[in-house]
Amino acid sequence: MAARIYQRPKNAMQSGKARLGEWILDFAPAEARKADPLMGWAGSGDTQAQVQLTFASVDEARAYAERYGIDAAVHAVPPRRLKLQAYADNFR
């Protein structure tokens, strides 16, 4: 069972930074999604794809994956680079 560990990205539509420190463990889908013949919705019989575990640190997430024998890959978040701008720079 494969999984990935990553940090929640900042929502581009909001300025808040709540829940950004959390690390998430998501399981990779075990089977492809199929369209339901009646409704046309995409779905599968894989229930692990619905599971999303949150941890306070990457070490806790790695320890959980090792404890239960989950092959997990850690995706580190690149550091944020701020482009500092001032309104006065438009008139230089």
Side-chain angles (χ1 to χ4, degrees):
M1 163 171 32
R4 67 182 180 136
I5 298 171
Y6 63 96
Q7 202 167 15
R8 186 182 306 272
K10 184 181 174 306
N11 187 352
M13 302 301 292
Q14 297 178 352
S15 62
K17 295 181 180 177
R19 300 177 68 187
L20 286 183
E22 293 180 349
W23 287 84
I24 300 171
L25 186 137
D26 273 343
F27 293 96
E31 63 182 57
R33 298 177 72 112
K34 305 178 275 263
D36 183 73
L38 180 62
M39 298 297 290
W41 296 340
S44 71
D46 180 26
T47 57
Q48 288 291 344
Q50 300 172 7
V51 177
Q52 188 179 57
L53 303 173
T54 58
F55 298 93
S57 70
V58 67
D59 296 327
E60 290 180 16
R62 280 186 189 151
Y64 179 86
E66 288 177 12
R67 187 177 332 127
Y68 290 102
I70 300 168
D71 181 31
V74 177
H75 298 279
V77 176
R80 291 182 53 203
R81 292 175 301 210
L82 297 177
K83 183 178 177 186
L84 299 176
Q85 295 177 330
Y87 181 69
D89 292 340
N90 294 333
F91 303 102
R92 285 190 179 171

